[in-house]
C-alpha cells in the first residue's frame, strides 16, 4: 500500500508567497521581453544568470554560509515553476545549475571544496554543469567509457560526454567517470573540472526542438589532468552519488514540467475568454471548458505529487520512488496540457505569435531528461514489487 501521510504538510505561507512573487517579477522583467528572440537564435543568456544570482535563484538549496538562499524543496519548486511559466528553457538551466552541479558539490564535497566552488556558483558568477551521459550510455550509466586513471596525485581523464546542459559555457563541471571495472556500480568516481583546464574541449552545441535558450553541448577530455583534490567523495562512489543527485533532479524536472503546464493552461484560459465563435467566447462551449477542467485537475495532481516529494526530501527521507512518480506524471501531463493548449488556440496555436507552440516544443524534454518515462516506470515498479 502506498503511504501518502504528510501530503497536506505543505501550505502557502508568507515566505512561499514572497518567493513566488519574486520569481514571477524576475521572469516578467528579465525573461519575458526576450523569450522568442532567445529561442529563435538559440541564444544562451549568460548575463541573465548573474541577475538570477542576485535574486538568490542560483543557490536555492545551499546554506547561507556558502552564499546560498538556504531554502527547501517547497520553495525550490515554486521558483522553477514561476520561471518556467515564462520560459521553460531558462527554468531548465536554473534547475540544472542548482540540482545537479551545485547540489552535487554541496552533498558530497568536503569543506574545502564547498568553500572553493559554492560561493561563485550560488552568486551566479560561475555557471555549473554536470556530465554523466555519453553517446553509448544514457539510461545505462554504468556502461560509460570515459575513464580516469590515477597518476601520482592526479587523475588523467579521457573520453567524452554529450547532452550536457551548459557543456560549453560551464565554469565548473562535475564529471562522473569510470575509475574501475566497466558495468560495476562501484567503478565510477566524481570529479570537478574547471573551465580552461588543459585537455578539456567542447564539441557542437545541439540544435534542439525546444529548450533552445538552454545550452546543451558535447564535452571531450584528451589527457585532461585532474588533481586528486578535485575528487568528490571516495573512489568508486560516483554512481551512488549520481543516483542520489538524480532523485532531487527528478523533482527539478517535475517542477519545470509544472511550470510548462501552468503557462500553457493560463494562456488557454485567457485565449478562450477572448476568442469568440458563433457569437460567444469559446470558453462557453463544453468542448473547451471540459478541456480546461481536465487541465486544471492534472496540474493540481502534479503539484501535490511534487510537494509530497519535497516534503519527503526535506525530511531526509529516501525519495527515489515518489520523485520518480512526480517526475513521470508531471512531465507526461505537461505534454498533454501543452498539446491541448495548441488545440484550444486552433490555427493561432500553431504560430509563434502565441506562447503555446513553444510550451508544446519545450514540454517533450521533460519526458526524457533526468531519466525517461520508461526509466521512471522501472524505478517505481521495482520499488512497488520489492515492498509489496
Amino acid at each position: 500500500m502506498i503511504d501518502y501521510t504528510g501530503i497536506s504538510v505543505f501550505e502557502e505561507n508568507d515566505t512561499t508567497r514572497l518567493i513566488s512573487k519574486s520569481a514571477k517579477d524576475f521572469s516578467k522583467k528579465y525573461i519575458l521581453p526576450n523569450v522568442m528572440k532567445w529561442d529563435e537564435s538559440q541564444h544562451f543568456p549568460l548575463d541573465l544568470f548573474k541577475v538570477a544570482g542576485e535574486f538568490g535563484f542560483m543557490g536555492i538549496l545551499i546554506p547561507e554560509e556558502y552564499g546560498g538562499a538556504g531554502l527547501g524543496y517547497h520553495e525550490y519548486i515554486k521558483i522553477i515553476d514561476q520561471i518556467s511559466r515564462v520560459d521553460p528553457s531558462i527554468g531548465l538551466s536554473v534547475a540544472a545549475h542548482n540540482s545537479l552541479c551545485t547540489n552535487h558539490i554541496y552533498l558530497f564535497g568536503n569543506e574545502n571544496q564547498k568553500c572553493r566552488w559554492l560561493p561563485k556558483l550560488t552568486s551566479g558568477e560561475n555557471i555549473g554543469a554536470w556530465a554523466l551521459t555519453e553517446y553509448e550510455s544514457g539510461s545505462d550509466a554504468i556502461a560509460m567509457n570515459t575513464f580516469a586513471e590515477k597518476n601520482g596525485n592526479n587523475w588523467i581523464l579521457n573520453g567524452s560526454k554529450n547532452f550536457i546542459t551548459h557543456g560549453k559555457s560551464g565554469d565548473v563541471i562535475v564529471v562522473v567517470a569510470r575509475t574501475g571495472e566497466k558495468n560495476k556500480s562501484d567503478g565510477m568516481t566524481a570529479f570537478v573540472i574547471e573551465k580552461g583546464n588543459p585537455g578539456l574541449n567542447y564539441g557542437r552545441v545541439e540544435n534542439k526542438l525546444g529548450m533552445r535558450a538552454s545550452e546543451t553541448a558535447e564535452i571531450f577530455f584528451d589527457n585532461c589532468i585532474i588533481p586528486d583534490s578535485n575528487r568528490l567523495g571516495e573512489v568508486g562512489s560516483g554512481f551512488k552519488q549520481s543516483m542520489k543527485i538524480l532523485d532531487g533532479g527528478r523533482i527539478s524536472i517535475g517542477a519545470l514540467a509544472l511550470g510548462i503546464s501552468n503557462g500553457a493552461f493560463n494562456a488557454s484560459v485567457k485565449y478562450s475568454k477572448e476568442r469568440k465563435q458563433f457569437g460567444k467566447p469559446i470558453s462557453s462551449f463544453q468542448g473547451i471548458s471540459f478541456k480546461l477542467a481536465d487541465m486544471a485537475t492534472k496540474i493540481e495532481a502534479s503539484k501535490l505529487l511534487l510537494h509530497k516529494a519535497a516534503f519527503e526530501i526535506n525530511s531526509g527521507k529516501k525519495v527515489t520512488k515518489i520523485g520518480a512518480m512526480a517526475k513521470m506524471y508531471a512531465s507526461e501531463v505537461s505534454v498533454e496540457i501543452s498539446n491541448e493548449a495548441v488545440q484550444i488556440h486552433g490555427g493561432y496555436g500553431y504560430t509563434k505569435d502565441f506562447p503555446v507552440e513553444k510550451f508544446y516544443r519545450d514540454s517533450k524534454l521533460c519526458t526524457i531528461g533526468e531519466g525517461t518515462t520508461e526509466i521512471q516506470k522501472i524505478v517505481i515498479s521495482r520499488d512497488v514489487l520489492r515492498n509489496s
Side-chain angles (χ1 to χ4, degrees):
M1 181 178 293
I2 300 172
D3 179 15
Y4 285 107
T5 304
I7 198 165
S8 63
V9 167
F10 174 73
E11 293 181 359
E12 287 281 5
N13 54 47
D14 290 342
T15 300
T16 55
R17 278 190 286 269
L18 181 62
I19 288 168
S20 187
K21 183 180 185 302
S22 179
K24 183 177 181 179
D25 292 344
F26 165 78
S27 303
K28 184 177 180 180
K29 181 175 181 180
Y30 296 102
I31 301 175
L32 184 59
N34 303 295
V35 170
M36 292 313 298
K37 179 175 67 176
W38 292 342
D39 180 76
E40 292 180 356
S41 64
Q42 198 163 233
H43 172 67
F44 180 52
L46 270 171
D47 290 343
L48 173 71
F49 298 98
K50 292 182 175 63
V51 180
E54 294 172 5
F55 276 76
F57 299 155
M58 299 299 276
I60 301 167
L61 301 167
I62 307 302
E64 294 180 18
E65 63 188 285
Y66 303 113
L71 300 172
Y73 272 86
H74 290 305
E75 294 84 2
Y76 180 62
I77 290 168
K78 300 292 285 186
I79 292 167
I80 300 301
D81 174 13
Q82 284 293 344
I83 292 173
S84 303
R85 293 183 191 201
V86 175
D87 191 343
S89 59
I90 303 303
L92 172 62
S93 278
V94 172
H97 172 94
N98 275 277
S99 70
L100 300 179
C101 174
T102 305
N103 201 37
H104 198 139
I105 294 171
Y106 172 63
L107 290 178
F108 299 106
N110 59 41
E111 190 61 25
N112 287 336
Q113 291 169 334
K114 293 177 187 179
C115 292
R116 178 180 174 185
W117 290 305
L118 289 180
K120 287 187 177 181
L121 286 166
T122 56
S123 70
E125 181 179 347
N126 283 351
I127 296 293
W130 193 72
L132 178 69
T133 300
E134 298 182 9
Y135 291 93
E136 296 181 4
S137 62
S139 299
D140 186 16
I142 61 174
M144 68 171 52
N145 291 311
T146 296
F147 186 75
E149 184 177 12
K150 189 76 183 294
N151 182 12
N153 291 322
N154 297 317
W155 294 81
I156 310 300
L157 181 65
N158 284 284
S160 62
K161 300 287 183 178
N162 74 325
F163 296 136
I164 307 305
T165 304
H166 313 150
K168 183 177 180 180
S169 297
D171 300 289
V172 177
I173 308 169
V174 173
V175 179
V176 182
R178 187 163 59 84
T179 52
E181 190 176 345
K182 191 173 182 178
N183 293 315
K184 295 289 185 180
S185 61
D186 61 353
M188 297 154 64
T189 305
F191 303 91
V192 175
I193 301 178
E194 297 179 85
K195 194 172 187 177
N197 190 318
L200 172 62
N201 300 294
Y202 314 101
R204 67 177 183 179
V205 174
E206 301 292 345
N207 188 11
K208 307 191 297 289
L209 168 73
M211 302 291 190
R212 291 172 58 81
S214 179
E215 179 187 272
T216 307
E218 301 170 309
I219 307 177
F220 299 101
F221 310 103
D222 182 13
N223 290 320
C224 189
I225 300 173
I226 311 170
D228 191 56
S229 59
N230 284 31
R231 172 172 47 84
L232 295 172
E234 298 298 320
V235 174
S237 64
F239 179 75
K240 291 180 180 178
Q241 292 178 14
S242 299
M243 294 304 101
K244 184 166 184 177
I245 292 300
L246 286 173
D247 281 346
R250 286 165 182 158
I251 297 175
S252 292
I253 296 297
L256 171 62
L258 177 64
I260 292 172
S261 294
N262 274 316
F265 173 73
N266 292 339
S268 297
V269 170
K270 180 176 183 294
Y271 181 82
S272 71
K273 290 180 176 180
E274 295 172 349
R275 174 67 167 167
K276 292 185 178 181
Q277 291 287 274
F278 308 103
K280 50 187 175 180
I282 62 172
S283 59
S284 65
F285 297 114
Q286 192 176 86
I288 300 299
S289 63
F290 278 19
K291 286 183 186 294
L292 295 173
D294 286 339
M295 293 159 81
T297 303
K298 290 176 180 179
I299 287 171
E300 193 67 19
S302 297
K303 184 166 66 174
L304 289 171
L305 272 171
L306 282 164
H307 283 292
K308 165 66 174 177
F311 171 73
E312 296 288 342
I313 200 169
N314 283 346
S315 302
K317 297 179 181 179
K318 187 177 180 180
V319 295
T320 302
K321 180 179 70 174
I322 190 63
M325 287 177 167
K327 189 270 184 187
M328 180 184 73
Y329 185 80
S331 62
E332 289 292 341
V333 159
S334 73
V335 176
E336 293 176 27
I337 288 179
S338 57
N339 177 52
E340 290 286 45
V342 172
Q343 194 70 19
I344 288 169
H345 282 70
Y348 293 109
Y350 205 67
T351 72
K352 294 182 182 293
D353 294 327
F354 289 81
V356 291
E357 69 84 29
K358 184 176 183 300
F359 287 126
Y360 188 41
R361 288 187 288 111
D362 289 345
S363 66
K364 189 57 192 170
L365 184 278
C366 297
T367 69
I368 299 170
E370 250 81 316
T372 63
T373 293
E374 291 72 23
I375 289 295
Q376 307 313 314
K377 289 181 179 180
I378 291 173
V379 170
I380 296 163
S381 61
R382 282 177 178 171
D383 189 283
V384 168
L385 292 169
R386 184 169 56 246
N387 295 296
S388 297

